[in-house]
């Protein structure tokens, strides 16, 4: 259509190279810690909402 620019084609992301085991372990531990942190914050919020009185 006139007046519209053509979209740029998305570039394919480069193939993921296998990282060193220490780096992979650190990444997985970080993700696990982030999930636990999120769950704890969510539980704290729920307990505040349902706490009676104060």
């Amino acid at each position: 259509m006139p007046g519209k620019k053509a979209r740029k084609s998305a570039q394919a992301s480069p193939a993921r190279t296998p990282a060193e085991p220490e780096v992979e372990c650190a990444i997985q531990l970080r993700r696990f810690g982030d999930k636990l942190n999120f769950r704890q914050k969510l539980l704290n919020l729920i307990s505040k909402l349902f706490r009676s009185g104060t």
Side-chain angles (χ1 to χ4, degrees):
M1 297 180 98
K4 286 194 171 186
K5 293 182 180 179
R7 283 191 198 178
K8 291 182 181 178
S9 62
Q11 294 178 351
S13 60
R16 189 171 173 207
T17 58
E20 296 178 16
E22 296 86 3
V23 175
E24 274 300 314
C25 183
I27 291 170
Q28 289 178 5
L29 284 173
R30 178 63 187 257
R31 286 183 186 147
F32 184 69
D34 288 344
K35 286 180 186 177
L36 285 178
N37 187 33
F38 174 73
R39 285 183 185 170
Q40 188 62 48
K41 286 184 177 184
L42 187 61
L43 286 173
N44 288 343
L45 176 66
I46 291 170
S47 66
K48 276 186 183 179
L49 291 174
F50 288 106
R51 197 176 297 151
S52 62
T54 58

